[in-house]
Structure formats: structure tokens, C-alpha cells
Amino acid sequence: MATFLYKLGRLSFRRRHFIALIWVALLTLAGVGAASAPTAGNSSFSIPGTEAQKAFDLLEQRFPGTSADGATARVVFKAPSGEKMTGPGNRATVKETVKELSDGSEVVRVTDPYQAKAVSKDGTIAYAQVSYKVSGMELDDAAKDALKDSAQDARKAGLTVEIGGDALQAVPHTGSSEIIGIAVAAVVLVITFGSLVAAGLPLLTALIGVGIGVSAITGLASALDLGSTTSTLAMMIGLAVGIDYALFIVSRYRAELAEGREREEAVGRAVGTAGSAVVFAGLTVVIALVGLSVVNIPMLTKMGIAAAGTVAIAVLIALTMVPALLGYAGRKVKPMGEKGKLLGRAQKKDRPAKPNLGTRWASFVVRRPVAVLLLGVIGLGAAAVPATSLELGLPDDGSQPTSTTQRRAYDLLSEGFGPGFNGPLMVVVDAKDSDDPKAVFAETGDEIKGLKDVVTVTPAQPNKAGDTATITVIPGSKPSSVTTENLVHGIRDAGADIKADTDANVLVTGSTAMNIDVSEKLNDALVPYLVLVVGLAFLLLIVVFRSILVPLKAALGFLLSVMAALGSVVAVFQWGWLSGLMGVEQTGPVMSMMPIFMVGVVFGLAMDYEVFLVTRMREAYVHGEKPAQAVVTGFRHGARVVTAAAVIMMAVFAGFIGSSESMVKMIGFGLAIAVFFDAFVVRMAIVPAVLALLGRKAWWLPKWLDRALPNVDVEGEGLRTRTDRGDEDRELVRA
């Protein structure tokens, strides 16, 4: 591995014009494809194998032409203070709005609030429901503008009008904080390298990689049904790992220059050693992201594969374009210890080198391993405590900022009709195999009326064939509550009894039931996913470190950091701690995808630091240093770079906290805090403490396994032998 990458690095350095041209051409091609591709909206959502999805599919079969997957909008009206919606003037305004809404070419139907009895008991609030032929992502701008204009006309008449539903779903924006994250990364790189040129290389290559990845996703979004969140995730992870991987190689290149090597040789050795760590770190991230497909939720699978593709591009750019740009930079990238004019901190050659902070910290940990280990474990354990109160759900309009019309419509409906009105349950009764379908429909409605937390049960609405009917159930609690979840299970239990008596299938669907099914499916998949991803990465790390205990320690440390991060997410987004600082306007259940998503992404990112830091320790140990000294050596060479990489990754992730999308905001915060825990507590404190306690046992590997494993030579031992042999040949030539 090291020898191959060494040759690749030198080739990229020598053929830098060709390498740069290839990447610029790919960026241009991806950009043209993205610009010419049709705009894609939010991805369609399906959960194969769940009852809610089965009911949805049944509706499409038994109720043809009803556009079961079409977009919906609820136009909510509120009368001025002291007036009623039943007043003549207000009634006329609503009638005119309904007529105006019905004229749209994509509109299937619009319900009249007065005919559908959609007026609150106190008469102050009413709503009209608009159903469209196409889904929200396919709804054209003209239809959305017509919806907004009709609401504006009603407002001019004195009514308060807000619009809920998925018809006005918009592409989330991240705001200026994303730019701030990149700016912080730039500052950290300048401080690390002391040179604008050296600092600019990781940023430039990361932006090119993200540009290619996100442009490719945008170009394929419509064809592959990729939502806007997919490209946001790819950008988030691609920026972070792209900067980090380039940082690792540029830092090692400067270290090789400091040892007196020529620039081409230094590039080759940097790619052969740090590049090997980048390859295996990237592999762990890719495994973790692609492994999300085991959950069998298409949207999550697409997000994981798209982000994994962006990571793969970041690895390839780090191995080829970074060496090429180092060739262009020439002497502007200085050896380690020589700062540029920007910071003016050049080390005087006649002064003995002072141990850096990483060396001093590692020496302290090696002297006090038990105390550091206990403090780290107890601290992470305390941060993980809120995770015991974790409640899962999917965001709805109730989690939107109060500045949005969707959220205001949600609040008005809750005020006028009760909190459960925002999450109606649709019960689908398939009585095709029953002797008396009408009796089954009536029996099902009566059974549901007898359940707890049921406010309204509408009469069954059969299809033309009369063998299938829908019943709408309004719960008494809000959609994301545990009470509503219990009601869904109660209806399904009652449906099982009805099936036993009548052979009719009773299925519960709707967005609320779908969210509940998603949460349960994700919970069921978490353990298999952990076994798959952690198991594959564990095997990979055994090959990298040629040790059993080091990969085991890495996996256990990751579990500590991800639990602490989940605890922090619960504290902020569920309990409301520091919610104002984070811009969280509405607390509630944690997004149901968050635990499994954090496990996948954080595990991959955590292994970046593990591989880069511990390979330097392994390298020192293989070359003859004692275990404790090898720990100090690894920190002397790697701590500064890992610290800079972690700060950069935290800054990039934290930049997405400013997103208007609650899911993106939560992911950004969760990943940022997870990187902090993993990099600074686990990798910088717990890892050296454990290695110091284990000593030589840390690097133990059974002889039979040592013979069976391939030698990937991450430490660059083959390069050292190659260099030594080259030095001997040169000495013979001189003689």
C-alpha cells in the first residue's frame, strides 16, 4: 500500500499539469450537468415493509385517480377579534378564496369549510383543504404562487390566513453560518501552517471535491429522486473530510521536508504514509455511510451512498491533486518548523527545539494514565445521561420556526380543533375477502370509537367497488406524542381481532402513522447496523494496526463519544437546554433517524483521528521505540494536526446549525459535538491513557493471525527500506 501510494504521489507531483486538468475537467463536467438538470425538490418518502406503506400502496390500487401521493395544503382562516367565520362577510371571503383555489390546473379538489363542517366550535377558525394531482416536489411554481396569492387576497379582507401542508415545502437554506464555518477552517489552517499558500491547499482541494460531488448529486437528483437534504449532507461531510485529508498529507509533506528530503521525494513519502492513513480512514467512513442501506429506507440509503461518493472523491483528490498542487506551490510551502512571513515565528536553528504541546500533554498522560482515563470516562458518561430519556419522532410543521406560515397554520389548527387535528390517522379497511363489507366498515368504526384518546371518527368512505373504505381518526394528542403512538398500536390490535372474525384487513396509515413506523424500523435496525459497520471496521483496523486490542479500544471509545453526543442532542433539542443559543424554537422528540445516522457518520469520522494518530504511534513502535515513548512520538507528530482537523470539522458541522431545516440543524449540532467528544476526550485523552496502561500488550496479535493478514504497510516500512537501499547505492557510486 505505502509503496503504491508513494509512486502515485511522485507521479502526481511530476505530472501535475495533467492531474490538475483532469480534476478541473471533472468539476466543469459536473457543473454543466447540474446546471442543465431539472430542479428536484424534496425526495419521495417510502418505507418498504411497514403497515403504513402497505396501506398507502393499497389506496393507490383501490382508489385509482385519487392521487394518494398528491400534495395537500390546508388554508386556515381566523376571523378578526370579536367576529365569527360564519359571519356573512367572512363567509363570502372564504367562498371566493375556495373558488379561486379551484381554478388551478393541478388542483384535484378544494373542500368548502362550511359544507365539510371544517369550522371550529367557537366559530373563529375554519380551514379549506386543497388536494393536488402531483406530489409536493412536482408541484410547479405557478400553483404555489396561486396558493399564496389566494391567501393574500383573503388577508386584505381582514382575515388571518396561514397555509400548512406539504404544498409549500421549500428547499432548506443553511444561512451565513455555513460561510462562517469555512472561514473558521481557513483561520485554523493559517495558524497551523503559518502560510496562506499552505493553508489554501486543503481548502481549495476540499471545495473542488465538494463541488464535483454536490454537482453530480444535483445533476442526478431528478432522475434518482434525491432530495435537497442529500446534497446538504454530502456538502457537510465532504467539506469536513476533504479539508482533513488534505491537511494530513500537507502536514506530513512539511515534516518530510524538515528531514532534508527533496520535494518530490517528500511528496511521495507523505502520500505513502499519511496517504495510507487517509485511504483507511476514508474506507471506514464509506463503510459506515453505505452501511445505512441495511435499514432499508430508500431516502436514508440514497443519502448515505451520495455522501460516501463525496468522501471517495475527497480521498482521490487528497492522493492526487494535493501532490500536484504542492508541485505548483514549490518553495512557498515550507518545512515543518519554518513559519512563513505571515506569522513570523520561524524557529532559530541555534536554539534547541522546545517540546510542543502535544509532546507535553502525551508525557503527562503517560505519567498519569489512570486518572486521565477515569476523568474522561466519567465525563463522557455524565454527558450521556440525557440519552436515557431519548424520545424519537420525525419533524412535522409543529417543529418549523414560528416565522413560517406552515407553523402558524399548525398552531391555528391546534387552537381551533385540538392538537390531534394536525396528525389525523387514516384507517384503510380491506374487506374484499369478507361476506359483508358494509358491516365490517361499521364494526371497524365502532371499535375505534371505543379506544382512548379518540376525538373524532368519520364515517367510512368506500371505493366504487365497495370492497375497501377509508376512515379518518382524529386523536386527542399532538402527532409526536406517546399517547398518539399508543393509539396507533391500539387500532392495529383491534384490527387483528376484526381480521380473525371477518377476514378483513385493517391498516393504519397517514403521515403520523408513517413517522411511528419509521421510528420503530430504525430502532429495530440499530443493533444489526452496529454489528455490521463496527464489525467490518474492526476487521479493517486489525489489518491496519496488526493488533486486537487497539481496534477494540477504538470501537469502545467511539461508543462512549456517540452516546455522549446523543445525550447532548437530547439536552438541547428535547429538553431545551441552550435552545435559544442554537436557534431551536420548538423542542420535541429527537429525529428518529438521528441515532442510527450519528452511529454511521460519527464512527467513520472518529476512525479518521484514530487511524492518523495511532498509525504514527505504530510507526514509532515498529521502528524500535518503547510503547510509552511511541505514544509521545505519535502525539509529537500528530496532535497538532489532529487538533486542527477536529476544530475544522467542528466548524464546518457547526455552520449547518444555522439551517432553516430542523433535521439539518440537529445533524449539524450532533456531528459537531460528537467530533469534540471523540477527538479531544477519546482520542486525545482516553486512547493514550489506555495504550500507556497496556504497554506492549496493545500491539499483540496471534502469530497465526499475523501470518494470515495481508501486510498493507501503513507505517511505510517498505519506504524506509527503499530509502535506505537508495542511500547505500549512492554511497557505492561515490566510492
Side-chain angles (χ1 to χ4, degrees):
M1 171 69 77
T3 303
F4 169 76
L5 293 178
Y6 167 83
K7 294 177 180 178
L8 178 63
R10 295 191 64 169
L11 177 66
S12 300
F13 184 90
R14 290 195 304 271
R15 300 287 185 266
R16 47 186 172 272
H17 302 309
F18 179 68
I19 296 295
L21 182 62
I22 288 177
W23 285 112
V24 171
L26 287 174
L27 178 61
T28 304
L29 184 64
V32 170
S36 59
T39 302
N42 291 290
S43 174
S44 60
F45 195 79
S46 64
I47 303 86
T50 61
E51 180 173 316
Q53 187 65 46
K54 291 176 182 177
F56 185 82
D57 295 339
L58 184 65
L59 283 174
E60 291 189 327
Q61 295 174 10
R62 303 289 174 85
F63 292 82
T66 57
S67 300
D69 61 343
T72 59
R74 278 179 171 175
V75 183
V76 187
F77 307 90
K78 184 175 183 180
S81 178
E83 297 184 21
K84 301 286 186 180
M85 288 303 306
T86 51
N90 293 334
R91 182 188 288 265
T93 300
V94 172
K95 290 279 188 180
E96 181 62 29
T97 303
V98 169
K99 181 181 178 182
E100 187 178 341
L101 288 169
S102 302
D103 293 336
S105 60
E106 293 183 324
V107 175
V108 176
R109 63 181 176 276
V110 181
T111 61
D112 185 317
Y114 304 102
Q115 295 179 4
K117 298 181 180 179
V119 181
S120 62
K121 290 182 179 180
D122 62 4
T124 59
I125 298 174
Y127 73 90
Q129 181 149 320
V130 187
S131 301
Y132 293 90
K133 298 177 182 178
V134 296
S135 63
M137 63 178 292
E138 298 171 321
L139 198 63
D140 61 31
D141 292 337
K144 294 181 180 181
D145 291 340
L147 182 61
K148 295 175 184 177
D149 291 342
S150 64
Q152 189 60 35
D153 292 341
R155 290 189 186 106
K156 291 178 181 178
L159 297 177
T160 298
V161 186
E162 305 296 346
I163 305 171
D166 60 355
L168 292 183
Q169 285 182 336
V171 176
H173 63 273
T174 55
S176 60
S177 53
E178 177 188 347
I179 306 301
I180 295 174
I182 297 177
V184 171
V187 171
V188 173
L189 287 169
V190 170
I191 294 174
T192 302
F193 292 135
S195 164
L196 286 175
V197 174
L201 286 178
L203 276 178
L204 177 61
T205 54
L207 289 173
I208 290 174
V210 168
I212 294 172
V214 173
S215 296
I217 292 170
T218 303
L220 297 172
S222 179
L224 300 181
D225 191 23
L226 304 177
S228 55
T229 306
T230 303
S231 58
T232 304
L233 173 66
M235 181 189 301
M236 184 189 303
I237 296 177
L239 270 177
V241 301
I243 294 174
D244 279 6
Y245 294 163
L247 170 63
F248 293 161
I249 290 178
V250 174
S251 178
R252 185 60 183 257
Y253 169 72
R254 296 176 69 234
E256 296 294 335
L257 288 179
E259 294 183 10
R261 292 186 172 85
E262 294 296 328
R263 293 188 177 274
E264 184 177 332
E265 177 67 16
V267 164
R269 290 184 65 86
V271 176
T273 52
S276 297
V278 165
V279 168
F280 283 101
L283 272 176
T284 58
V285 181
V286 169
I287 288 172
L289 290 171
V290 174
L292 290 171
S293 58
V294 303
V295 184
N296 196 25
I297 294 180
M299 186 185 78
L300 194 59
T301 300
K302 294 171 184 176
M303 288 172 65
I305 293 175
T310 308
V311 171
I313 292 172
V315 171
L316 292 174
I317 282 185
L319 298 178
T320 57
M321 192 169 187
V322 170
L325 292 181
L326 287 172
Y328 284 119
R331 297 186 180 279
K332 292 180 181 179
V333 177
K334 299 184 179 298
M336 187 80 72
E338 290 187 23
K339 297 292 183 181
K341 295 179 181 180
L342 185 65
L343 297 181
R345 290 164 49 192
Q347 180 71 42
K348 295 182 179 180
K349 294 183 179 180
D350 57 346
R351 181 180 298 176
K354 180 182 178 181
N356 60 22
L357 181 60
T359 302
R360 297 196 298 272
W361 169 250
S363 299
F364 169 77
V365 174
V366 168
R367 291 195 304 271
R368 301 285 188 274
V370 176
V372 172
L373 178 61
L374 289 176
L375 185 62
V377 172
I378 292 172
L380 291 178
V385 169
T388 58
S389 302
L390 177 67
E391 296 178 8
L392 298 177
L394 285 178
D396 53 19
D397 285 348
S399 62
Q400 296 272 3
T402 53
S403 59
T404 63
T405 186
Q406 292 94 330
R407 171 62 187 279
R408 292 196 292 264
Y410 180 97
D411 292 340
L412 283 176
L413 288 172
S414 295
E415 177 187 341
F417 301 93
F421 197 80
N422 283 293
L425 305 175
M426 180 177 287
V427 179
V428 182
V429 185
D430 178 10
K432 189 174 184 179
D433 297 330
S434 300
D435 297 331
D436 189 354
K438 289 184 179 180
V440 173
F441 301 155
E443 180 184 350
T444 303
D446 293 339
E447 287 287 337
I448 295 173
K449 288 178 183 177
L451 298 176
K452 293 181 180 179
D453 200 49
V454 173
V455 174
T456 304
V457 178
T458 64
Q461 302 291 324
N463 62 349
K464 291 182 179 180
D467 58 4
T468 307
T470 60
I471 300 173
T472 301
V473 180
I474 306 298
S477 304
K478 63 180 182 178
S480 58
S481 68
V482 176
T483 307
T484 301
E485 182 179 346
N486 292 336
L487 174 59
V488 171
H489 291 304
I491 295 173
R492 287 172 175 171
D493 291 340
D497 296 335
I498 292 172
K499 179 176 177 59
D501 296 336
T502 64
D503 290 329
N505 288 318
V506 178
L507 307 173
V508 185
T509 189
S511 59
T512 301
M514 189 76 81
N515 291 351
I516 292 170
D517 287 350
V518 169
S519 298
E520 293 179 352
K521 191 178 181 85
L522 289 167
N523 284 337
D524 293 341
L526 184 57
V527 173
Y529 176 70
L530 266 174
V531 171
L532 173 68
V533 173
V534 177
L536 287 176
F538 179 77
L539 296 175
L540 185 65
L541 292 178
I542 289 178
V543 174
V544 174
F545 297 127
R546 307 195 75 79
S547 164
I548 298 293
L549 296 179
V550 170
L552 180 62
K553 172 264 308 169
L556 293 176
F558 150 74
L559 291 176
L560 276 173
S561 59
V562 79
M563 287 302 298
L566 272 177
S568 301
V569 169
V570 170
V572 173
F573 291 89
Q574 187 175 311
W575 291 359
W577 294 4
L578 302 177
S579 57
L581 181 64
M582 297 297 167
V584 180
E585 297 187 17
Q586 180 68 33
T587 59
V590 172
M591 182 183 64
S592 54
M593 294 183 184
M594 197 66 186
I596 199 165
F597 183 79
M598 282 188 66
V599 166
V601 177
V602 174
F603 182 79
L605 299 179
M607 294 305 104
D608 282 1
Y609 307 122
E610 178 75 16
V611 170
F612 189 78
L613 194 60
V614 180
T615 48
R616 292 305 295 259
M617 300 178 191
R618 168 77 181 172
E619 185 177 340
Y621 177 75
V622 168
H623 294 156
E625 291 189 8
K626 293 181 179 180
Q629 184 57 40
V631 171
V632 176
T633 300
F635 267 75
R636 181 169 67 249
H637 293 297
R640 182 182 180 89
V641 179
V642 169
T643 299
V647 172
I648 289 169
M649 197 172 279
M650 288 167 56
V652 172
F653 288 150
F656 289 85
I657 295 175
S659 172
S660 62
E661 180 69 39
S662 59
M663 182 170 74
V664 175
K665 182 190 294 286
M666 189 179 295
I667 289 174
F669 172 79
L671 294 183
I673 197 70
V675 168
F676 171 78
F677 286 141
D678 197 88
F680 294 106
V681 181
V682 175
R683 309 303 154 191
M684 290 288 189
I686 293 178
V687 166
V690 171
L691 291 178
L693 289 172
L694 291 175
R696 295 185 182 278
K697 295 178 182 178
W699 309 108
W700 171 80
L701 186 70
K703 291 183 179 180
W704 64 268
L705 185 56
D706 187 38
R707 290 191 298 269
L709 291 177
N711 183 13
V712 295
D713 189 22
V714 178
E715 303 84 18
E717 184 64 26
L719 299 183
R720 173 167 293 205
T721 304
R722 180 190 186 98
T723 303
D724 293 343
R725 187 166 59 247
D727 293 340
E728 291 175 3
D729 292 342
R730 284 190 291 272
E731 290 295 330
L732 288 173
V733 169
R734 292 193 189 99

